[in-house]
Amino acid sequence: MFTFMRNYVVTFAKSLVVGSTMLVPGVSGDSMSMILGIYTKLISSVSSFMKNKFRNSLFLTIFLAGSLIGIVSFSKPILHLIETYPMPMLYFLCLCFISLWVL
């Protein structure tokens, strides 16, 4: 029971990070979910939703709630950073585009 709850708390925390990274220009929520190791679980929950409806809907609900809370709670701080420090954000975006070119 404890491991079951721990997995969903970790999922919620990871979805907070994924939701907050969706606000940063040039950073994809999908790439952050791959980095955090939750992408395969997310895709498998959507693709095999009918096989285990309860478990998949619980996972997707927790992920959606965490993402929405992450978007709402981090939108003002990220906007403040972009407006206050435009040059570092520009460097960050340039590095994102250069990394796409290298790949």
Side-chain angles (χ1 to χ4, degrees):
M1 180 69 174
F2 180 71
T3 308
F4 176 76
M5 289 301 292
R6 183 182 176 275
N7 288 339
Y8 285 113
V9 169
V10 170
T11 298
F12 184 79
K14 288 180 180 181
S15 65
L16 279 172
V17 174
V18 170
S20 65
T21 57
M22 288 185 210
L23 298 169
V24 178
V27 179
S28 169
D30 291 336
S31 61
M32 186 54 68
S33 63
M34 280 188 229
I35 292 169
L36 294 174
I38 198 169
Y39 185 78
T40 55
K41 175 70 175 160
L42 185 62
I43 295 299
S44 67
S45 291
V46 171
S47 64
S48 65
F49 183 77
M50 293 299 187
K51 291 182 182 176
N52 194 346
K53 290 181 186 179
F54 178 73
R55 189 181 79 206
N56 290 334
S57 63
L58 182 63
F59 174 79
L60 291 173
T61 302
I62 291 171
F63 186 83
L64 178 67
S67 295
L68 289 176
I69 291 171
I71 288 171
V72 169
S73 63
F74 288 105
S75 62
K76 293 245 182 197
I78 289 177
L79 180 63
H80 174 71
L81 288 174
I82 291 172
E83 290 175 348
T84 307
Y85 305 105
M87 287 308 285
M89 292 304 293
L90 180 65
Y91 292 141
F92 175 73
L93 291 175
C94 289
L95 287 174
C96 289
F97 289 129
I98 290 171
S99 67
L100 288 174
W101 179 67
V102 171
L103 294 175

Short mmCIF file of all heavy atoms in Angstrom, two decimals, residues 14 17-40 42-43 63 92 96 99-100 103:
data_model
loop_
_atom_site.label_atom_id
_atom_site.label_comp_id
_atom_site.label_asym_id
_atom_site.label_seq_id
_atom_site.Cartn_x
_atom_site.Cartn_y
_atom_site.Cartn_z
N LYS A 14 6.56 14.58 -10.67
CA LYS A 14 7.13 14.64 -12.02
C LYS A 14 6.22 15.41 -12.96
O LYS A 14 6.69 16.15 -13.82
CB LYS A 14 7.38 13.23 -12.55
CG LYS A 14 8.54 12.53 -11.89
CD LYS A 14 8.74 11.15 -12.47
CE LYS A 14 9.92 10.44 -11.82
NZ LYS A 14 10.13 9.10 -12.40
N VAL A 17 6.71 19.12 -12.68
CA VAL A 17 7.88 19.57 -13.44
C VAL A 17 7.56 19.63 -14.93
O VAL A 17 7.91 20.59 -15.62
CB VAL A 17 9.09 18.66 -13.16
CG1 VAL A 17 10.27 19.02 -14.04
CG2 VAL A 17 9.47 18.72 -11.70
N VAL A 18 6.88 18.60 -15.44
CA VAL A 18 6.52 18.58 -16.85
C VAL A 18 5.59 19.75 -17.18
O VAL A 18 5.77 20.43 -18.20
CB VAL A 18 5.86 17.22 -17.23
CG1 VAL A 18 5.25 17.27 -18.62
CG2 VAL A 18 6.87 16.10 -17.14
N GLY A 19 4.62 20.01 -16.32
CA GLY A 19 3.72 21.14 -16.55
C GLY A 19 4.43 22.47 -16.54
O GLY A 19 4.14 23.36 -17.35
N SER A 20 5.38 22.62 -15.65
CA SER A 20 6.10 23.89 -15.60
C SER A 20 7.03 24.07 -16.78
O SER A 20 7.24 25.19 -17.25
CB SER A 20 6.88 24.00 -14.29
OG SER A 20 7.89 23.03 -14.23
N THR A 21 7.58 23.00 -17.32
CA THR A 21 8.48 23.14 -18.47
C THR A 21 7.72 23.40 -19.76
O THR A 21 8.31 23.88 -20.72
CB THR A 21 9.35 21.89 -18.67
OG1 THR A 21 8.52 20.75 -18.81
CG2 THR A 21 10.31 21.71 -17.53
N MET A 22 6.42 23.13 -19.78
CA MET A 22 5.64 23.46 -20.96
C MET A 22 5.54 24.97 -21.17
O MET A 22 5.22 25.42 -22.26
CB MET A 22 4.24 22.86 -20.86
CG MET A 22 4.21 21.37 -21.03
SD MET A 22 2.51 20.82 -21.03
CE MET A 22 2.69 19.20 -20.36
N LEU A 23 5.83 25.73 -20.14
CA LEU A 23 5.75 27.19 -20.23
C LEU A 23 7.02 27.82 -20.78
O LEU A 23 6.99 28.96 -21.24
CB LEU A 23 5.49 27.77 -18.83
CG LEU A 23 4.18 27.36 -18.19
CD1 LEU A 23 4.16 27.78 -16.73
CD2 LEU A 23 3.01 27.97 -18.93
N VAL A 24 8.13 27.12 -20.72
CA VAL A 24 9.41 27.68 -21.16
C VAL A 24 9.50 27.55 -22.68
O VAL A 24 9.34 26.44 -23.22
CB VAL A 24 10.59 26.94 -20.49
CG1 VAL A 24 11.91 27.48 -20.99
CG2 VAL A 24 10.49 27.04 -18.99
N PRO A 25 9.73 28.66 -23.37
CA PRO A 25 9.85 28.58 -24.83
C PRO A 25 11.03 27.72 -25.25
O PRO A 25 12.12 27.84 -24.73
CB PRO A 25 10.08 30.04 -25.26
CG PRO A 25 9.70 30.86 -24.09
CD PRO A 25 9.86 30.02 -22.88
N GLY A 26 10.78 26.82 -26.17
CA GLY A 26 11.83 25.96 -26.70
C GLY A 26 12.00 24.65 -25.96
O GLY A 26 12.79 23.81 -26.36
N VAL A 27 11.26 24.46 -24.89
CA VAL A 27 11.36 23.21 -24.13
C VAL A 27 10.02 22.50 -24.23
O VAL A 27 8.97 23.08 -23.97
CB VAL A 27 11.71 23.46 -22.65
CG1 VAL A 27 11.78 22.16 -21.89
CG2 VAL A 27 13.00 24.22 -22.53
N SER A 28 10.07 21.24 -24.59
CA SER A 28 8.85 20.46 -24.76
C SER A 28 8.54 19.69 -23.49
O SER A 28 9.43 19.20 -22.81
CB SER A 28 9.04 19.49 -25.93
OG SER A 28 7.99 18.57 -25.97
N GLY A 29 7.26 19.57 -23.20
CA GLY A 29 6.85 18.75 -22.07
C GLY A 29 7.16 17.29 -22.31
O GLY A 29 7.47 16.54 -21.38
N ASP A 30 7.11 16.87 -23.58
CA ASP A 30 7.45 15.48 -23.91
C ASP A 30 8.91 15.18 -23.64
O ASP A 30 9.24 14.12 -23.12
CB ASP A 30 7.15 15.21 -25.39
CG ASP A 30 5.67 15.20 -25.69
OD1 ASP A 30 4.88 14.95 -24.75
OD2 ASP A 30 5.31 15.42 -26.85
N SER A 31 9.78 16.11 -24.00
CA SER A 31 11.20 15.87 -23.75
C SER A 31 11.50 15.82 -22.26
O SER A 31 12.30 15.01 -21.81
CB SER A 31 12.07 16.93 -24.44
OG SER A 31 11.76 18.21 -23.93
N MET A 32 10.83 16.65 -21.49
CA MET A 32 11.04 16.60 -20.04
C MET A 32 10.47 15.32 -19.44
O MET A 32 11.05 14.75 -18.52
CB MET A 32 10.41 17.83 -19.37
CG MET A 32 10.71 17.92 -17.90
SD MET A 32 12.47 17.85 -17.47
CE MET A 32 13.06 19.37 -18.12
N SER A 33 9.35 14.85 -19.97
CA SER A 33 8.81 13.58 -19.46
C SER A 33 9.71 12.41 -19.83
O SER A 33 9.82 11.45 -19.07
CB SER A 33 7.38 13.36 -19.96
OG SER A 33 7.35 13.25 -21.36
N MET A 34 10.41 12.51 -20.97
CA MET A 34 11.40 11.47 -21.30
C MET A 34 12.57 11.53 -20.35
O MET A 34 13.07 10.49 -19.89
CB MET A 34 11.89 11.64 -22.74
CG MET A 34 10.97 11.11 -23.76
SD MET A 34 11.77 11.16 -25.37
CE MET A 34 10.50 11.94 -26.32
N ILE A 35 13.04 12.73 -20.05
CA ILE A 35 14.17 12.88 -19.14
C ILE A 35 13.82 12.36 -17.75
O ILE A 35 14.63 11.71 -17.09
CB ILE A 35 14.61 14.36 -19.07
CG1 ILE A 35 15.22 14.79 -20.40
CG2 ILE A 35 15.57 14.61 -17.93
CD1 ILE A 35 15.43 16.26 -20.55
N LEU A 36 12.60 12.61 -17.31
CA LEU A 36 12.17 12.16 -15.98
C LEU A 36 11.76 10.70 -15.94
O LEU A 36 11.49 10.16 -14.87
CB LEU A 36 11.01 13.04 -15.48
CG LEU A 36 11.36 14.49 -15.21
CD1 LEU A 36 10.10 15.28 -14.87
CD2 LEU A 36 12.37 14.60 -14.09
N GLY A 37 11.67 10.06 -17.10
CA GLY A 37 11.35 8.63 -17.14
C GLY A 37 9.88 8.31 -16.99
O GLY A 37 9.53 7.19 -16.59
N ILE A 38 9.01 9.22 -17.34
CA ILE A 38 7.59 8.99 -17.20
C ILE A 38 6.89 8.88 -18.55
O ILE A 38 5.72 8.53 -18.64
CB ILE A 38 6.95 10.11 -16.33
CG1 ILE A 38 5.61 9.68 -15.80
CG2 ILE A 38 6.86 11.40 -17.07
CD1 ILE A 38 5.07 10.59 -14.75
N TYR A 39 7.61 9.13 -19.64
CA TYR A 39 7.03 9.15 -20.98
C TYR A 39 6.45 7.80 -21.38
O TYR A 39 5.34 7.74 -21.91
CB TYR A 39 8.09 9.61 -21.98
CG TYR A 39 7.56 9.79 -23.38
CD1 TYR A 39 6.83 10.91 -23.70
CD2 TYR A 39 7.80 8.84 -24.36
CE1 TYR A 39 6.34 11.10 -24.98
CE2 TYR A 39 7.31 9.01 -25.64
CZ TYR A 39 6.58 10.13 -25.95
OH TYR A 39 6.10 10.30 -27.22
N THR A 40 7.18 6.73 -21.16
CA THR A 40 6.69 5.41 -21.58
C THR A 40 5.43 5.02 -20.81
O THR A 40 4.52 4.43 -21.38
CB THR A 40 7.77 4.33 -21.40
OG1 THR A 40 8.22 4.34 -20.06
CG2 THR A 40 8.93 4.57 -22.34
N LEU A 42 3.25 7.11 -19.60
CA LEU A 42 2.20 7.99 -20.10
C LEU A 42 1.64 7.47 -21.42
O LEU A 42 0.42 7.37 -21.60
CB LEU A 42 2.75 9.40 -20.25
CG LEU A 42 1.79 10.51 -20.64
CD1 LEU A 42 0.72 10.68 -19.58
CD2 LEU A 42 2.55 11.80 -20.84
N ILE A 43 2.52 7.11 -22.32
CA ILE A 43 2.09 6.59 -23.63
C ILE A 43 1.38 5.25 -23.48
O ILE A 43 0.35 5.01 -24.11
CB ILE A 43 3.30 6.47 -24.59
CG1 ILE A 43 3.87 7.85 -24.89
CG2 ILE A 43 2.92 5.76 -25.87
CD1 ILE A 43 2.91 8.80 -25.56
N PHE A 63 -1.59 12.64 -13.33
CA PHE A 63 -0.68 13.35 -14.21
C PHE A 63 -1.30 14.66 -14.69
O PHE A 63 -0.63 15.70 -14.73
CB PHE A 63 -0.30 12.47 -15.41
CG PHE A 63 0.75 13.08 -16.28
CD1 PHE A 63 2.08 12.96 -15.95
CD2 PHE A 63 0.42 13.79 -17.42
CE1 PHE A 63 3.07 13.54 -16.72
CE2 PHE A 63 1.38 14.37 -18.21
CZ PHE A 63 2.71 14.24 -17.86
N PHE A 92 19.54 30.69 -23.76
CA PHE A 92 18.95 29.37 -23.56
C PHE A 92 18.22 28.91 -24.82
O PHE A 92 18.38 27.76 -25.25
CB PHE A 92 17.99 29.41 -22.37
CG PHE A 92 17.26 28.13 -22.14
CD1 PHE A 92 17.90 27.03 -21.63
CD2 PHE A 92 15.91 28.03 -22.47
CE1 PHE A 92 17.23 25.85 -21.44
CE2 PHE A 92 15.23 26.85 -22.28
CZ PHE A 92 15.90 25.76 -21.75
N CYS A 96 19.05 25.76 -27.38
CA CYS A 96 18.06 24.76 -27.77
C CYS A 96 18.04 24.56 -29.28
O CYS A 96 18.02 23.42 -29.77
CB CYS A 96 16.66 25.17 -27.29
SG CYS A 96 16.42 25.05 -25.52
N SER A 99 21.24 22.82 -30.44
CA SER A 99 21.23 21.38 -30.13
C SER A 99 20.34 20.63 -31.11
O SER A 99 20.62 19.48 -31.45
CB SER A 99 20.77 21.15 -28.70
OG SER A 99 19.41 21.51 -28.54
N LEU A 100 19.27 21.25 -31.58
CA LEU A 100 18.45 20.61 -32.60
C LEU A 100 19.20 20.46 -33.92
O LEU A 100 19.08 19.46 -34.62
CB LEU A 100 17.16 21.40 -32.84
CG LEU A 100 16.12 21.35 -31.75
CD1 LEU A 100 14.98 22.30 -32.06
CD2 LEU A 100 15.61 19.95 -31.56
N LEU A 103 21.79 17.58 -33.52
CA LEU A 103 21.17 16.25 -33.54
C LEU A 103 20.74 15.90 -34.92
O LEU A 103 20.74 14.86 -35.40
CB LEU A 103 19.98 16.20 -32.58
CG LEU A 103 20.33 16.35 -31.10
CD1 LEU A 103 19.04 16.40 -30.29
CD2 LEU A 103 21.19 15.21 -30.64
#
